[in-house]
């Protein structure tokens, strides 16, 4: 007899980001699929890591993260969102934003719990919920604005609702939550046992002078929340896989029980470097403007193609409609775009559980101008 794995995720294949990046490499395509910058990160930050290594910070860091880095994060939160959080009890450094989210779900969810998830949803959310034996309750964002229908949310709340997952700025759509959304959320969770998981990895990638509606602005909501962030997105180093989660003490205490026996502690020299680099607020404050210029430049270039933009208010991404070009499904079209035209984008339908075809693709514009130009030149041929 052979050992046989009874799959915990029988319906799940390989993530679209790996699939499309492989396809892009195979066809030598301009890769506007997976969200990562193709320009250089700060050389100063790289040198700081080097220095930290030379200074001997090469052993385990504190289980919850380098204390100085956590202090700097707490200072930043107070400055940006006006809320005091305790770096000792409320912050844990994690190996990336996805891990921060997974750990929050694993901390809270029991088999049979329901989690409200808005679709399209980042592709790790559903497997992260299901691997814990919980049930995603899917609510579509309203096409094409990708806004939340809060009346529908009210209808989907049951005694088993354990958590609501939010993501602003939103991947893959670039939509953002407004103050009104927060008010609606507040009225729904008030006097309930519902937790909030807020994925804010794109907190600084927000455009047009819009204020990021972090849950950390709202102390009453924070009391029931896990708020997740990414250093990779903030400092153009997605490959470093470092992020953090902020949650009130009682929640974070349980969170650390999971974290300590999974990863224990994160890359130490990188945490030293980030603690120093974070002292200069300009390093993260400038990011929105820089990316906004890229969004606008890409839109300008894409105006010469038959693709039609949907608005992007934040994130690395903009959705483009292709209904003037093809009737194909998003998947078929995205594959053909890579194979025949040498440009890779992500079909938005992969962020839905059920088959859907709005004829929209997600393009990542966090790229060098030359990359965006090359992509647009190829897309003009359609
Ligand atoms: N967040 C990135 C994206 O949406 C990719 C992250 C990943 O590959 N897991 O493209």
């Amino acid at each position: 007899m052979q050992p046989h794995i009874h799959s915990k995720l029988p319906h799940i294949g390989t993530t679209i980001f790996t699939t499309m990046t492989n396809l892009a490499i195979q066809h030598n395509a301009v890769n506007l699929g997976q969200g990562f910058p193709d320009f250089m990160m700060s050389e100063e930050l790289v040198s700081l890591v080097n220095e930290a290594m030379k200074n001997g910070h090469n052993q385990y860091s504190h289980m919850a993260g380098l204390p100085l880095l956590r202090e700097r994060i707490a200072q930043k939160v107070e400055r940006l969102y006006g809320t005091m959080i305790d770096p000792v009890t409320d912050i844990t450094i994690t190996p990336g934003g996805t891990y921060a989210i997974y750990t929050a779900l694993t901390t809270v969810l029991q088999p049979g719990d329901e989690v409200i998830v808005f679709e399209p949803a980042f592709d790790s959310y559903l497997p992260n919920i299901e691997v814990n034996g919980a049930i995603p309750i899917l609510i579509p964002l309203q096409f094409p604005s990708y806004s939340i229908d809060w009346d529908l949310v009210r209808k989907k709340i049951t005694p088993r609702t354990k958590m609501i997952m939010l993501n602003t700025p939103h991947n893959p759509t670039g939509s953002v939550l407004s103050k009104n959304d927060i008010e609606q959320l507040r009225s729904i969770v008030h006097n309930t046992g519902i937790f909030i998981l807020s994925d804010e990895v794109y907190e600084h990638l927000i455009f047009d002078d819009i204020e990021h509606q972090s849950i950390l602005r709202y102390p009453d909501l924070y009391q029931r929340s896990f708020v997740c962030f990414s250093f990779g997105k903030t400092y153009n180093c997605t490959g470093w896989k470092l992020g953090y989660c902020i949650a009130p003490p009682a929640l974070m205490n349980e969170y650390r029980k999971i974290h300590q026996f999974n990863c224990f502690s994160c890359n130490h020299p990188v945490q030293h470097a980030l603690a120093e680099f974070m002292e200069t607020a300009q390093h993260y404050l400038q990011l929105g403007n820089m990316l906004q210029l890229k969004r606008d430049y890409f839109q300008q270039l894409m105006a010469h193609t038959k693709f039609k933009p949907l608005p992007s208010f934040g994130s690395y991404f903009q959705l483009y409609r292709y209904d003037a070009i093809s009737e194909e499904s998003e998947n078929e079209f995205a594959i053909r775009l890579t194979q025949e035209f040498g440009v890779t984008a992500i079909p938005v339908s992969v962020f839905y559980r059920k088959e859907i075809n709005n004829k929209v693709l997600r393009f990542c514009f966090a790229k060098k101008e030359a990359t965006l130009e090359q992509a647009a030149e190829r897309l003009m041929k359609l």
Side-chain angles (χ1 to χ4, degrees):
M1 191 160 140
Q2 291 291 314
H4 173 75
I5 294 182
H6 181 67
S7 177
K8 291 197 168 177
L9 297 169
H11 313 296
I12 303 294
T14 302
T15 168
I16 189 70
F17 304 114
T18 302
T19 307
M20 291 313 282
T21 289
N22 285 347
L23 200 67
I25 292 167
Q26 193 187 329
H27 293 276
N28 205 9
V30 183
N31 189 359
L32 305 188
Q34 193 175 26
F36 62 89
D38 74 342
F39 44 88
M40 278 301 284
M41 63 171 299
S42 155
E43 275 178 38
E44 185 190 341
L45 182 50
V46 172
S47 305
L48 287 171
V49 177
N50 220 294
E51 236 168 77
M53 286 179 167
K54 285 187 185 148
N55 290 338
H57 300 295
N58 299 304
Q59 309 308 326
Y60 295 125
S61 74
H62 189 290
M63 181 271 278
L66 183 74
L68 181 64
L69 180 59
R70 286 185 280 143
E71 272 170 41
R72 294 273 150 81
I73 292 170
Q75 286 159 6
K76 172 176 160 178
V77 167
E78 193 187 349
R79 183 189 155 159
L80 293 181
Y81 306 128
T83 302
M84 298 263 276
I85 52 167
D86 185 338
V88 176
T89 53
D90 294 25
I91 303 174
T92 298
I93 308 295
T94 63
T98 304
Y99 173 105
I101 293 165
Y102 176 72
T103 305
L105 290 165
T106 302
T107 301
V108 163
L109 296 180
Q110 302 285 350
D113 284 346
E114 295 179 356
V115 182
I116 302 266
V117 182
F118 299 101
E119 282 192 314
F122 185 61
D123 77 334
S124 71
Y125 293 178
L126 301 193
N128 284 183
I129 292 166
E130 287 170 336
V131 86
N132 282 296
I135 303 157
I137 303 297
L138 302 170
I139 299 185
L141 294 173
Q142 302 174 99
F143 185 77
S145 63
Y146 294 104
S147 52
I148 295 176
D149 177 347
W150 289 103
D151 287 332
L152 193 52
V153 179
R154 280 187 187 85
K155 287 189 192 131
K156 296 277 187 174
I157 301 282
T158 76
R160 305 197 79 103
T161 308
K162 184 59 85 64
M163 192 176 239
I164 298 177
M165 290 183 81
L166 301 172
N167 174 209
T168 186
H170 186 256
N171 181 6
T173 69
S175 65
V176 293
L177 293 183
S178 67
K179 272 201 177 123
N180 179 53
D181 289 310
I182 301 291
E183 287 312 320
Q184 297 276 357
L185 173 70
R186 176 179 278 134
S187 76
I188 288 174
V189 298
H190 183 69
N191 264 332
T192 71
I194 300 172
F195 292 97
I196 296 167
L197 194 159
S198 187
D199 172 356
E200 302 185 10
V201 299
Y202 297 104
E203 75 179 314
H204 298 300
L205 293 151
I206 188 158
F207 315 134
D208 309 321
D209 293 322
I210 297 170
E211 189 177 75
H212 170 53
Q213 289 304 316
S214 176
I215 288 295
L216 297 172
R217 286 183 192 277
Y218 305 96
D220 60 323
L221 293 177
Y222 173 58
Q223 287 315 313
R224 55 175 79 238
S225 298
F226 296 85
V227 193
C228 300
F229 298 92
S230 157
F231 286 113
K233 301 285 166 8
T234 303
Y235 297 108
N236 306 315
C237 50
T238 60
W240 285 11
K241 289 302 297 179
L242 208 69
Y244 53 99
C245 179
I246 306 184
L251 276 54
M252 189 47 87
N253 190 42
E254 288 299 317
Y255 186 98
R256 287 180 184 167
K257 290 185 192 173
I258 306 289
H259 168 72
Q260 70 183 341
F261 296 128
N262 190 7
C263 137
F264 178 62
S265 74
C266 294
N267 187 307
H268 197 179
V270 166
Q271 292 186 66
H272 268 275
L274 284 166
E276 191 161 339
F277 201 64
M278 273 183 80
E279 266 200 300
T280 309
Q282 207 41 38
H283 287 146
Y284 52 82
L285 294 178
Q286 68 185 6
L287 196 65
N289 282 342
M290 179 175 110
L291 265 292
Q292 182 174 326
L293 288 173
K294 290 193 179 294
R295 177 201 64 177
D296 293 347
Y297 187 56
F298 188 51
Q299 249 188 60
Q300 212 178 303
L301 295 167
M302 288 292 274
H304 301 288
T305 72
K306 290 199 187 109
F307 289 87
K308 298 276 171 311
L310 290 175
S312 164
F313 301 106
S315 81
Y316 280 158
F317 311 113
Q318 181 141 24
L319 303 189
Y320 280 85
R321 306 175 90 141
Y322 64 83
D323 49 351
I325 301 171
S326 167
E327 286 295 317
E328 284 158 289
S329 74
E330 294 177 10
N331 228 7
E332 286 165 344
F333 185 61
I335 290 172
R336 195 163 68 84
L337 207 58
T338 298
Q339 289 173 337
E340 291 179 19
F341 294 88
V343 178
T344 298
I346 302 287
V348 176
S349 54
V350 301
F351 302 107
Y352 291 84
R353 176 136 286 178
K354 286 213 183 104
E355 186 76 32
I356 189 165
N357 189 12
N358 287 323
K359 301 200 185 71
V360 280
L361 295 183
R362 188 195 82 171
F363 291 85
C364 172
F365 52 75
K367 305 291 174 189
K368 294 187 275 218
E369 287 194 353
T371 309
L372 299 176
E373 285 160 10
Q374 197 183 15
E377 205 173 289
R378 293 177 180 194
L379 295 174
M380 277 194 297
K381 300 195 183 113
L382 277 127

